[in-house]
Amino acid sequence: MNVPRAALVIIGQELLSGKVKDENVGYLTEQLWALGVEVKRVLFVPDDSQDIVEALRWVVDRHDYVFTTGGMGPTHDDVTVAAVSEALGRPMVHSPSLESLLERLYGVPAGPERTRLCHIPEGAELVYPEDARFPQLIVGNVFLFPGVPSIVRKKFSAIAERFRAEPIYSERLDLDRSEMEIVMPLNAVVESFADVRFGSYPQYSEGKETVYLTLDGTQQERVQDALKLLKKLLGLA
Amino acid sequence: MNVPRAALVIIGQELLSGKVKDENVGYLTEQLWALGVEVKRVLFVPDDSQDIVEALRWVVDRHDYVFTTGGMGPTHDDVTVAAVSEALGRPMVHSPSLESLLERLYGVPAGPERTRLCHIPEGAELVYPEDARFPQLIVGNVFLFPGVPSIVRKKFSAIAERFRAEPIYSERLDLDRSEMEIVMPLNAVVESFADVRFGSYPQYSEGKETVYLTLDGTQQERVQDALKLLKKLLGLA
């Protein structure tokens, strides 16, 4: 499938120690897929500048969009903005509009913490969606989100339409058989439809195995034809 | 903190399109942390051999343990075992014990599918925990799990004690203040305790921001001392 590609860089020690369960991957992958964008990589890294830089360098040139979550606050472990600056080779510059926002919204007193928070990578875009507590920071193809899931949802919704591409058509086929029983017909159809993506997902319930198949593609007719052949080979039509 | 390091490679297109929400990262990170093992990287990749090989090569030499989930079944998209073989440079060899198990347990007829499933990387270890449906495959420092969360739990529990290391001591401090209000005392304590790991997690509820702090370390006394100093600087003790 030739669709826009995205990567997620999920930042936060709390997610790597199991203290907090991530909710952003499920949300972002689902939203992007519905927009016609395919997530090809997800990376979780600790709140460490070098780890984040390494992750970003690994994905930033090979994906149309990169989304980061986490590490956006004022404390010692909030190093995402500086890491994006380093990974993209864009020096940090002072943003007067951000400083005035911080002063007005949070009453942060002048000092090293406020100054640090008002530095952003050169050429960064600040988008102010309606009702947003804080602007959306965009640096090249990197979209920076905080870690808190409710804020990620709000901020992503505000800019989601930027990412809309051709729709991906999906079909699903639930089968009352084990994966082993359907592997031969499935593999035959997979070979005939290089432009359709197939998934096969076994499920276990009360000791019984069933399976469901998924078919995805950008050409609806091809997805339908693949489904038809699959049903035929499985003796369902 | 000088503790054993782990990486997770989470394999499956369904997790990248949001069709299925991953449940294995939360489980494995929490279990490993409780055993004294720190997860330093999590990577999600599609069911594509080259993607899996690339991910494994990125993590396998730099971590004590690598855990993979997904891609272990019989269908076209189950390519994990072959990818581990390629990434580790260990050729695939036929396992007669696996073939006999497949025949007995699943009644899989002789043929190319059964033959494919009975090839494992050279030198792989097959562990047969009690009650297991299928053996645990271990190749060097790579532990291969299927994708289905209930099976991951069962299989991991069976071998968990292998990974037990020195315990990590953790403390948590819930504060009725915003992160911005505690940043200066927090940063001061962080600087004095290089051997303690600090986390700061803002929470939003009904428009109000609160924050909780976490302190982790392998020396209980140092964690306690850091907590004491933090409370003092916050005016709580």
Side-chain angles (χ1 to χ4, degrees), chain A residues 13-14 16-21 29-30 33 38-44 46 51 54 58 62 74 76-77 113 133 179 183-184 187 197-198 200-201 209 212 216, chain B residues 13-14 16-21 29-30 33 38-44 46 51 54 58 62 74 76-77 113 133 179 183-184 187 197-198 200-201 209 212 216:
Chain A
Q13 180 59 37
E14 72 280 17
L16 295 170
S17 59
K19 285 181 184 155
V20 175
K21 303 280 186 281
T29 50
E30 192 171 16
W33 185 258
E38 194 175 13
V39 174
K40 298 293 281 184
R41 284 280 184 289
V42 179
L43 288 93
F44 287 54
D51 288 328
E54 189 191 7
W58 202 48
R62 297 194 288 167
H76 68 286
D77 56 354
E113 265 72 32
R133 211 177 131 79
E179 200 173 37
V183 59
M184 277 180 274
N187 286 354
R197 173 95 41 84
F198 297 84
S200 171
Y201 306 110
E209 183 190 332
Y212 70 91
D216 298 296
Chain B
Q13 181 59 39
E14 73 279 20
L16 294 170
S17 59
K19 283 179 183 154
V20 175
K21 304 280 188 280
T29 50
E30 193 171 15
W33 184 259
E38 195 175 11
V39 175
K40 298 293 282 183
R41 285 279 183 290
V42 179
L43 288 93
F44 287 55
D51 288 327
E54 188 191 8
W58 203 48
R62 296 194 289 166
H76 68 287
D77 56 356
E113 265 73 31
R133 213 177 130 81
E179 200 174 36
V183 60
M184 278 180 274
N187 286 355
R197 174 94 44 81
F198 297 84
S200 171
Y201 305 110
E209 183 190 331
Y212 72 89
D216 297 297

Coordinates of all heavy atoms in Angstrom, one line a residue, chain A residues 13-14 16-21 29-30 33 38-44 46 51 54 58 62 74 76-77 113 133 179 183-184 187 197-198 200-201 209 212 216, chain B residues 13-14 16-21 29-30 33 38-44 46 51 54 58 62 74 76-77 113 133 179 183-184 187 197-198 200-201 209 212 216:
Chain A
Q13 N 9.8 7.6 31.2 CA 10.3 6.5 32.1 C 9.1 5.8 32.7 O 9.2 4.6 32.9 CB 11.2 7.1 33.2 CG 11.8 6.2 34.1 CD 12.6 5.1 33.4 OE1 13.3 5.4 32.5 NE2 12.5 3.9 33.9
E14 N 8.0 6.5 33.1 CA 6.9 5.9 33.8 C 6.3 4.8 32.9 O 5.7 3.8 33.5 CB 5.9 7.0 34.2 CG 5.0 7.6 33.0 CD 5.7 8.6 32.2 OE1 7.0 8.7 32.3 OE2 5.0 9.4 31.5
L16 N 8.0 2.8 30.9 CA 8.9 1.7 30.7 C 9.0 0.9 32.0 O 9.6 -0.1 32.1 CB 10.3 2.3 30.3 CG 10.3 2.9 28.9 CD1 11.6 3.6 28.6 CD2 10.1 1.8 27.9
S17 N 8.5 1.5 33.1 CA 8.6 0.8 34.4 C 7.2 0.3 34.7 O 7.0 -0.3 35.8 CB 9.1 1.7 35.5 OG 8.2 2.8 35.7
G18 N 6.2 0.4 33.8 CA 4.9 -0.1 34.1 C 4.1 0.7 35.1 O 3.0 0.3 35.5
K19 N 4.6 1.8 35.5 CA 3.9 2.6 36.5 C 2.7 3.3 35.9 O 1.7 3.5 36.6 CB 4.8 3.8 37.1 CG 5.8 3.3 38.1 CD 6.7 4.4 38.6 CE 7.7 3.8 39.5 NZ 8.9 4.7 39.5
V20 N 2.8 3.6 34.7 CA 1.7 4.2 33.9 C 1.5 3.4 32.7 O 2.5 3.0 32.0 CB 1.9 5.7 33.6 CG1 0.8 6.2 32.7 CG2 2.1 6.5 34.8
K21 N 0.3 3.0 32.3 CA 0.0 2.3 31.1 C -0.2 3.3 29.9 O -1.1 4.1 30.0 CB -1.2 1.4 31.2 CG -1.1 0.4 32.4 CD -0.2 -0.8 32.0 CE -0.2 -1.9 33.1 NZ 0.7 -1.5 34.3
T29 N -2.7 5.5 16.6 CA -2.7 4.6 15.5 C -4.0 4.5 14.9 O -4.2 4.5 13.7 CB -2.2 3.2 15.9 OG1 -2.9 2.8 17.1 CG2 -0.7 3.2 16.2
E30 N -5.1 4.4 15.7 CA -6.4 4.3 15.2 C -6.9 5.6 14.5 O -7.5 5.5 13.4 CB -7.4 4.1 16.4 CG -8.7 3.6 16.0 CD -9.6 3.2 17.2 OE1 -9.2 3.5 18.4 OE2 -10.6 2.5 17.0
W33 N -4.9 5.8 11.1 CA -5.3 4.8 10.1 C -6.7 5.3 9.5 O -6.9 5.1 8.3 CB -5.5 3.5 10.9 CG -5.9 2.3 10.0 CD1 -7.1 1.8 9.8 CD2 -5.0 1.6 9.1 NE1 -7.1 0.7 9.0 CE2 -5.8 0.6 8.5 CE3 -3.7 1.6 8.8 CZ2 -5.3 -0.3 7.6 CZ3 -3.1 0.7 7.9 CH2 -3.9 -0.2 7.3
E38 N -0.5 5.4 7.7 CA -0.1 4.2 8.3 C 1.1 4.4 9.2 O 2.1 5.0 8.8 CB 0.3 3.2 7.2 CG 0.5 1.8 7.7 CD 0.8 0.8 6.5 OE1 1.2 1.3 5.4 OE2 0.7 -0.4 6.8
V39 N 0.9 4.0 10.5 CA 2.0 4.1 11.4 C 2.9 2.8 11.2 O 2.4 1.7 11.2 CB 1.5 4.1 12.9 CG1 2.7 4.0 13.9 CG2 0.7 5.3 13.1
K40 N 4.2 3.1 10.9 CA 5.1 2.0 10.6 C 6.1 1.7 11.7 O 6.7 0.6 11.7 CB 6.0 2.4 9.4 CG 5.2 2.7 8.1 CD 4.5 1.4 7.5 CE 5.5 0.5 6.8 NZ 4.8 -0.7 6.2
R41 N 6.2 2.6 12.7 CA 7.1 2.4 13.8 C 6.5 3.1 15.0 O 6.1 4.2 14.9 CB 8.5 3.1 13.6 CG 9.4 2.4 12.6 CD 10.1 1.2 13.3 NE 11.1 0.7 12.3 CZ 10.7 0.0 11.2 NH1 9.5 -0.2 11.0 NH2 11.7 -0.5 10.4
V42 N 6.7 2.4 16.2 CA 6.4 3.1 17.4 C 7.7 2.8 18.3 O 8.1 1.6 18.3 CB 5.2 2.5 18.1 CG1 5.0 3.2 19.5 CG2 3.9 2.7 17.3
L43 N 8.2 3.8 18.9 CA 9.4 3.6 19.8 C 9.1 4.2 21.2 O 8.6 5.4 21.2 CB 10.6 4.3 19.2 CG 11.3 3.8 18.0 CD1 10.7 4.4 16.8 CD2 12.8 4.0 18.1
F44 N 9.3 3.5 22.2 CA 9.2 4.0 23.6 C 10.6 4.2 24.0 O 11.4 3.3 24.0 CB 8.6 3.0 24.6 CG 7.1 2.8 24.4 CD1 6.5 2.5 23.2 CD2 6.3 2.9 25.6 CE1 5.1 2.2 23.2 CE2 4.9 2.7 25.5 CZ 4.3 2.3 24.3
P46 N 13.2 6.3 27.3 CA 13.1 7.0 28.6 C 13.3 8.5 28.4 O 13.6 9.0 27.3 CB 14.3 6.5 29.4 CG 15.0 5.6 28.5 CD 14.4 5.5 27.1
D51 N 18.7 9.3 24.2 CA 17.8 8.2 23.8 C 16.8 8.8 22.8 O 16.4 8.2 21.8 CB 17.1 7.6 25.0 CG 18.0 6.7 25.8 OD1 18.9 6.1 25.2 OD2 17.8 6.6 27.0
E54 N 18.4 9.7 19.4 CA 18.7 8.5 18.6 C 17.4 8.0 18.0 O 17.4 7.6 16.8 CB 19.3 7.5 19.5 CG 19.8 6.3 18.8 CD 20.2 5.1 19.7 OE1 19.9 5.2 20.9 OE2 20.7 4.1 19.2
W58 N 16.4 7.9 13.9 CA 16.1 6.7 13.3 C 14.8 6.8 12.4 O 14.7 6.1 11.4 CB 15.9 5.6 14.4 CG 16.0 4.2 13.9 CD1 17.1 3.7 13.2 CD2 15.2 3.1 14.2 NE1 16.9 2.3 13.0 CE2 15.7 2.0 13.6 CE3 14.0 3.0 14.9 CZ2 15.2 0.7 13.7 CZ3 13.4 1.7 15.0 CH2 14.0 0.6 14.4
R62 N 12.5 8.9 7.3 CA 11.9 7.8 6.6 C 10.4 7.8 6.8 O 9.7 6.8 6.3 CB 12.4 6.4 7.2 CG 13.9 6.2 6.9 CD 14.3 4.8 7.2 NE 14.3 4.5 8.6 CZ 14.4 3.3 9.0 NH1 14.4 2.2 8.2 NH2 14.4 3.0 10.3
P74 N 8.0 21.4 32.7 CA 9.1 22.3 33.1 C 10.2 21.5 33.9 O 11.1 22.2 34.3 CB 8.3 23.2 34.0 CG 7.2 22.4 34.6 CD 6.8 21.4 33.6
H76 N 13.1 18.6 35.3 CA 14.4 18.0 34.8 C 14.3 17.0 33.8 O 15.1 16.8 32.9 CB 15.2 17.5 36.0 CG 14.5 16.2 36.6 ND1 13.4 16.3 37.3 CD2 14.8 14.9 36.4 CE1 13.0 15.0 37.6 NE2 13.8 14.2 37.1
D77 N 13.1 16.2 33.8 CA 13.0 15.1 32.9 C 12.2 15.5 31.7 O 11.9 14.6 30.9 CB 12.4 13.9 33.6 CG 11.0 14.2 34.3 OD1 10.6 15.4 34.3 OD2 10.4 13.2 34.8
E113 N 13.8 28.8 34.8 CA 12.8 27.9 34.4 C 11.9 28.5 33.2 O 11.7 27.8 32.2 CB 11.9 27.5 35.5 CG 12.3 26.2 36.2 CD 13.6 26.4 37.1 OE1 13.7 27.5 37.6 OE2 14.4 25.5 37.2
R133 N -5.0 24.9 25.8 CA -4.3 25.4 26.9 C -2.9 26.0 26.5 O -2.4 26.9 27.1 CB -4.1 24.2 27.9 CG -4.1 24.5 29.3 CD -4.0 23.2 30.0 NE -3.0 23.2 31.1 CZ -3.2 23.8 32.3 NH1 -4.3 24.3 32.6 NH2 -2.2 23.8 33.1
E179 N -6.4 -21.1 13.2 CA -5.5 -20.5 12.2 C -4.9 -21.6 11.3 O -4.7 -21.4 10.1 CB -4.5 -19.7 12.9 CG -3.8 -18.7 12.0 CD -2.9 -17.7 12.7 OE1 -2.2 -18.2 13.7 OE2 -2.8 -16.5 12.4
V183 N -4.8 -21.8 7.0 CA -3.5 -21.2 6.5 C -3.3 -21.5 5.0 O -2.8 -20.6 4.3 CB -2.3 -21.7 7.3 CG1 -2.2 -23.2 7.3 CG2 -1.0 -21.1 6.9
M184 N -3.7 -22.6 4.5 CA -3.4 -22.9 3.1 C -4.2 -22.0 2.1 O -3.7 -21.3 1.3 CB -3.5 -24.4 2.8 CG -2.1 -25.0 3.1 SD -2.0 -26.8 2.9 CE -2.7 -27.4 4.4
N187 N -2.9 -18.3 2.4 CA -1.6 -18.0 1.8 C -1.8 -18.0 0.2 O -1.1 -17.2 -0.4 CB -0.6 -19.1 2.1 CG -0.1 -18.9 3.6 OD1 -0.4 -17.9 4.2 ND2 0.7 -19.8 4.0
R197 N -3.4 -5.9 1.9 CA -2.7 -6.3 3.1 C -3.6 -7.2 3.9 O -4.8 -6.9 4.2 CB -2.4 -5.0 3.9 CG -1.8 -5.2 5.3 CD -0.3 -5.2 5.4 NE 0.3 -4.1 4.6 CZ 0.4 -2.9 4.9 NH1 0.0 -2.5 6.1 NH2 1.0 -2.0 4.2
F198 N -3.1 -8.4 4.3 CA -3.9 -9.4 5.0 C -3.4 -9.6 6.4 O -2.2 -9.6 6.7 CB -3.8 -10.8 4.3 CG -4.4 -10.8 2.9 CD1 -3.6 -10.4 1.8 CD2 -5.7 -11.2 2.7 CE1 -4.1 -10.4 0.6 CE2 -6.2 -11.2 1.4 CZ -5.4 -10.8 0.4
S200 N -4.1 -12.0 10.1 CA -4.7 -13.2 10.6 C -4.5 -13.3 12.1 O -3.4 -13.3 12.6 CB -4.0 -14.5 9.9 OG -4.5 -15.6 10.5
Y201 N -5.6 -13.3 12.9 CA -5.5 -13.1 14.3 C -6.2 -14.2 15.1 O -7.4 -14.2 15.1 CB -6.0 -11.7 14.7 CG -5.3 -10.6 13.9 CD1 -5.9 -9.9 12.9 CD2 -4.0 -10.4 14.1 CE1 -5.3 -9.0 12.1 CE2 -3.2 -9.5 13.3 CZ -3.9 -8.8 12.3 OH -3.2 -7.9 11.6
E209 N -9.9 -22.3 19.9 CA -9.3 -21.3 19.1 C -10.1 -21.0 17.9 O -10.6 -21.9 17.2 CB -7.9 -21.8 18.6 CG -7.1 -20.8 17.7 CD -5.9 -21.3 17.0 OE1 -5.3 -22.3 17.5 OE2 -5.6 -20.8 16.0
Y212 N -9.8 -14.5 13.2 CA -10.4 -13.5 12.2 C -9.3 -13.0 11.3 O -8.1 -12.9 11.7 CB -11.2 -12.4 12.9 CG -10.4 -11.4 13.7 CD1 -10.0 -10.2 13.1 CD2 -10.1 -11.5 15.0 CE1 -9.3 -9.2 13.7 CE2 -9.4 -10.6 15.7 CZ -9.0 -9.4 15.1 OH -8.3 -8.5 15.8
D216 N -7.0 -5.1 4.0 CA -6.9 -3.6 3.8 C -6.3 -3.3 2.5 O -5.3 -3.9 2.1 CB -6.0 -3.0 4.9 CG -6.6 -3.3 6.3 OD1 -7.7 -2.8 6.6 OD2 -5.9 -4.0 7.1
Chain B
Q13 N 1.0 -5.9 12.6 CA 0.3 -4.8 11.8 C -0.9 -4.3 12.5 O -1.3 -3.1 12.5 CB 0.0 -5.3 10.4 CG -0.7 -4.3 9.5 CD 0.2 -3.1 9.3 OE1 1.4 -3.2 9.2 NE2 -0.5 -1.9 9.3
E14 N -1.6 -5.3 13.2 CA -2.9 -4.9 13.8 C -2.7 -3.9 14.9 O -3.7 -3.1 15.2 CB -3.6 -6.2 14.4 CG -3.0 -6.8 15.6 CD -1.7 -7.7 15.4 OE1 -1.1 -7.5 14.3 OE2 -1.4 -8.4 16.3
L16 N -0.5 -1.5 14.8 CA -0.1 -0.2 14.1 C -1.2 0.5 13.4 O -1.1 1.6 13.0 CB 1.1 -0.5 13.2 CG 2.4 -0.9 13.9 CD1 3.4 -1.4 12.9 CD2 3.0 0.2 14.7
S17 N -2.3 -0.3 13.2 CA -3.5 0.3 12.6 C -4.6 0.5 13.6 O -5.7 0.9 13.3 CB -4.0 -0.6 11.5 OG -4.3 -1.9 12.0
G18 N -4.3 0.3 14.9 CA -5.2 0.6 15.9 C -6.4 -0.4 16.0 O -7.3 -0.3 16.7
K19 N -6.3 -1.5 15.2 CA -7.4 -2.5 15.2 C -7.4 -3.3 16.5 O -8.4 -3.8 17.0 CB -7.1 -3.5 14.0 CG -7.6 -2.9 12.7 CD -7.3 -3.9 11.6 CE -7.7 -3.3 10.3 NZ -6.9 -3.9 9.2
V20 N -6.2 -3.5 17.0 CA -6.0 -4.2 18.3 C -5.2 -3.3 19.2 O -4.2 -2.7 18.7 CB -5.3 -5.5 18.1 CG1 -5.1 -6.2 19.4 CG2 -6.2 -6.5 17.2
K21 N -5.6 -3.1 20.4 CA -4.8 -2.3 21.4 C -3.8 -3.2 22.1 O -4.2 -4.2 22.7 CB -5.7 -1.6 22.4 CG -6.8 -0.8 21.8 CD -6.3 0.6 21.3 CE -7.4 1.5 20.9 NZ -7.9 1.2 19.5
T29 N 6.5 -4.6 31.0 CA 7.3 -3.6 31.7 C 7.0 -3.6 33.2 O 8.0 -3.6 34.0 CB 6.9 -2.1 31.2 OG1 5.5 -2.0 31.3 CG2 7.4 -1.9 29.8
E30 N 5.8 -3.8 33.6 CA 5.5 -3.9 35.1 C 6.1 -5.1 35.7 O 6.7 -5.0 36.8 CB 4.0 -3.9 35.2 CG 3.5 -3.7 36.7 CD 2.0 -3.5 36.7 OE1 1.3 -3.9 35.8 OE2 1.6 -3.0 37.8
W33 N 10.0 -4.7 35.8 CA 10.4 -3.7 36.8 C 10.3 -4.3 38.2 O 11.3 -4.2 39.1 CB 9.5 -2.5 36.7 CG 9.9 -1.4 37.6 CD1 9.3 -1.0 38.8 CD2 10.9 -0.4 37.4 NE1 9.8 0.1 39.3 CE2 10.9 0.5 38.5 CE3 11.9 -0.2 36.4 CZ2 11.7 1.6 38.6 CZ3 12.7 0.9 36.6 CH2 12.7 1.8 37.7
E38 N 15.1 -3.2 34.0 CA 14.6 -2.0 33.5 C 14.4 -2.1 32.0 O 15.4 -2.5 31.3 CB 15.6 -0.9 33.8 CG 15.0 0.5 33.6 CD 15.9 1.6 34.0 OE1 17.1 1.3 34.2 OE2 15.5 2.7 34.0
V39 N 13.2 -1.9 31.5 CA 13.0 -1.8 30.0 C 13.5 -0.5 29.5 O 13.0 0.6 30.0 CB 11.5 -2.1 29.7 CG1 11.3 -1.9 28.2 CG2 11.1 -3.4 30.1
K40 N 14.4 -0.5 28.6 CA 15.0 0.8 28.1 C 14.4 1.2 26.7 O 14.6 2.3 26.3 CB 16.5 0.7 28.0 CG 17.2 0.4 29.3 CD 17.1 1.6 30.3 CE 18.1 2.7 29.9 NZ 18.0 3.8 30.9
R41 N 13.9 0.2 26.0 CA 13.4 0.5 24.6 C 12.2 -0.4 24.4 O 12.2 -1.6 24.8 CB 14.4 0.1 23.6 CG 15.5 1.0 23.3 CD 15.1 2.2 22.5 NE 16.3 3.0 22.3 CZ 17.0 3.7 23.2 NH1 16.5 3.7 24.4 NH2 18.0 4.4 22.9
V42 N 11.1 0.2 23.7 CA 10.1 -0.7 23.2 C 9.9 -0.3 21.7 O 9.9 0.9 21.4 CB 8.7 -0.4 23.9 CG1 7.6 -1.2 23.3 CG2 8.8 -0.7 25.4
L43 N 9.9 -1.2 20.9 CA 9.7 -0.9 19.4 C 8.5 -1.7 18.9 O 8.4 -2.9 19.1 CB 10.9 -1.4 18.6 CG 12.2 -0.5 18.8 CD1 13.0 -1.1 19.8 CD2 12.9 -0.5 17.4
F44 N 7.6 -1.0 18.2 CA 6.5 -1.7 17.5 C 6.9 -1.7 16.0 O 7.2 -0.7 15.5 CB 5.2 -0.9 17.6 CG 4.5 -1.0 18.9 CD1 5.1 -0.6 20.1 CD2 3.1 -1.3 19.0 CE1 4.4 -0.6 21.3 CE2 2.4 -1.3 20.2 CZ 3.1 -0.9 21.4
P46 N 5.8 -3.6 12.0 CA 4.8 -4.5 11.3 C 5.3 -5.9 11.1 O 6.5 -6.2 11.4 CB 4.7 -3.8 9.9 CG 5.6 -2.7 9.8 CD 6.4 -2.6 11.1
D51 N 11.7 -5.3 8.7 CA 11.5 -4.4 9.8 C 11.9 -5.0 11.1 O 12.4 -4.4 12.0 CB 10.0 -4.0 9.8 CG 9.6 -3.0 8.7 OD1 10.4 -2.2 8.3 OD2 8.5 -3.1 8.2
E54 N 15.7 -5.3 11.4 CA 16.3 -4.0 11.8 C 16.1 -3.6 13.2 O 17.0 -3.2 13.9 CB 15.7 -2.9 10.9 CG 16.3 -1.6 11.0 CD 15.5 -0.5 10.3 OE1 14.4 -0.7 9.9 OE2 16.1 0.6 10.2
W58 N 19.0 -3.4 16.3 CA 19.1 -2.1 17.0 C 19.3 -2.4 18.5 O 19.9 -1.6 19.2 CB 17.9 -1.2 16.7 CG 18.1 0.2 16.9 CD1 19.2 1.0 16.4 CD2 17.3 1.1 17.6 NE1 19.0 2.3 16.8 CE2 17.9 2.4 17.5 CE3 16.1 1.0 18.3 CZ2 17.3 3.5 18.1 CZ3 15.5 2.1 18.8 CH2 16.1 3.4 18.7
R62 N 22.7 -4.3 22.9 CA 22.7 -3.3 23.9 C 21.8 -3.6 25.2 O 21.7 -2.8 26.0 CB 22.3 -1.9 23.3 CG 23.3 -1.5 22.3 CD 23.0 -0.1 21.9 NE 21.8 0.1 21.2 CZ 21.2 1.3 21.0 NH1 21.7 2.4 21.6 NH2 20.1 1.4 20.3
P74 N 1.2 -19.8 12.1 CA 1.5 -20.5 10.8 C 1.3 -19.7 9.5 O 1.6 -20.2 8.5 CB 0.6 -21.7 10.8 CG -0.6 -21.2 11.6 CD -0.1 -20.2 12.5
H76 N 1.2 -16.4 6.6 CA 2.2 -15.6 5.8 C 2.8 -14.5 6.6 O 3.9 -14.1 6.3 CB 1.4 -15.0 4.6 CG 0.4 -14.0 5.0 ND1 -0.8 -14.3 5.6 CD2 0.5 -12.6 4.9 CE1 -1.4 -13.2 5.8 NE2 -0.7 -12.2 5.4
D77 N 2.0 -13.9 7.5 CA 2.5 -12.8 8.3 C 3.2 -13.2 9.6 O 3.6 -12.3 10.4 CB 1.4 -11.8 8.6 CG 0.2 -12.4 9.3 OD1 0.2 -13.6 9.5 OD2 -0.7 -11.6 9.7
E113 N 3.7 -26.3 5.3 CA 3.4 -25.5 6.4 C 4.0 -26.1 7.7 O 4.6 -25.4 8.5 CB 1.9 -25.4 6.6 CG 1.3 -24.1 6.0 CD 1.3 -24.2 4.5 OE1 1.1 -25.3 4.0 OE2 1.4 -23.2 3.8
R133 N 1.0 -24.9 26.2 CA 0.5 -25.4 24.9 C 1.6 -25.6 23.9 O 1.5 -26.6 23.1 CB -0.4 -24.3 24.4 CG -1.6 -24.7 23.6 CD -2.4 -23.4 23.2 NE -2.7 -23.5 21.8 CZ -3.7 -24.1 21.3 NH1 -4.5 -24.8 22.0 NH2 -4.0 -24.1 20.0
E179 N 2.8 21.3 38.6 CA 4.2 20.9 38.3 C 5.1 22.2 38.4 O 6.2 22.2 38.9 CB 4.3 20.2 37.0 CG 5.6 19.4 36.8 CD 5.6 18.6 35.5 OE1 5.1 19.1 34.5 OE2 6.2 17.5 35.6
V183 N 8.8 22.8 40.6 CA 9.9 22.5 39.7 C 11.3 22.9 40.4 O 12.3 22.2 40.3 CB 9.8 23.1 38.3 CG1 9.6 24.6 38.4 CG2 10.9 22.8 37.4
M184 N 11.3 24.0 41.1 CA 12.6 24.5 41.6 C 13.1 23.5 42.7 O 14.3 23.1 42.6 CB 12.6 25.9 42.0 CG 12.8 26.7 40.7 SD 12.8 28.5 40.9 CE 11.1 28.9 40.7
N187 N 14.2 20.1 41.1 CA 15.4 20.2 40.4 C 16.6 20.2 41.3 O 17.7 19.6 41.1 CB 15.5 21.3 39.4 CG 14.6 21.1 38.2 OD1 14.0 20.0 38.0 ND2 14.4 22.1 37.3
R197 N 16.5 7.9 40.6 CA 15.7 8.3 39.4 C 14.4 9.0 39.8 O 13.7 8.4 40.6 CB 15.4 7.0 38.6 CG 14.6 7.2 37.4 CD 15.3 7.4 36.1 NE 16.5 6.5 35.9 CZ 16.4 5.3 35.5 NH1 15.3 4.7 35.2 NH2 17.6 4.6 35.4
F198 N 14.2 10.2 39.3 CA 13.0 11.0 39.7 C 12.1 11.1 38.5 O 12.5 11.3 37.4 CB 13.4 12.4 40.1 CG 14.3 12.4 41.3 CD1 15.7 12.3 41.2 CD2 13.7 12.7 42.6 CE1 16.5 12.3 42.4 CE2 14.5 12.7 43.7 CZ 15.9 12.5 43.6
S200 N 8.2 13.0 37.4 CA 7.3 14.1 37.8 C 6.1 14.0 36.8 O 6.3 14.1 35.6 CB 7.9 15.4 37.7 OG 7.0 16.5 37.8
Y201 N 4.9 13.7 37.3 CA 3.8 13.4 36.4 C 2.5 14.3 36.7 O 1.8 14.1 37.7 CB 3.4 11.9 36.5 CG 4.6 11.1 36.3 CD1 5.3 10.4 37.3 CD2 5.2 11.1 35.0 CE1 6.4 9.7 37.0 CE2 6.4 10.4 34.7 CZ 7.0 9.7 35.7 OH 8.1 9.0 35.5
E209 N -4.8 21.2 38.0 CA -3.6 20.4 37.8 C -3.0 20.0 39.2 O -2.8 20.8 40.0 CB -2.6 21.2 37.0 CG -1.3 20.3 36.7 CD -0.2 21.2 36.1 OE1 -0.4 22.2 35.4 OE2 1.0 20.8 36.3
Y212 N 2.3 14.1 40.7 CA 2.9 13.2 41.7 C 4.3 12.9 41.2 O 4.7 13.0 40.0 CB 2.1 11.9 41.9 CG 2.1 11.0 40.7 CD1 3.0 9.9 40.6 CD2 1.1 11.0 39.7 CE1 3.0 9.0 39.5 CE2 1.0 10.1 38.7 CZ 2.0 9.2 38.6 OH 1.9 8.3 37.5
D216 N 13.1 6.3 42.4 CA 13.5 4.9 42.3 C 15.0 4.8 42.5 O 15.7 5.6 42.0 CB 13.1 4.4 40.9 CG 11.6 4.4 40.7 OD1 10.9 3.7 41.4 OD2 11.2 5.1 39.7

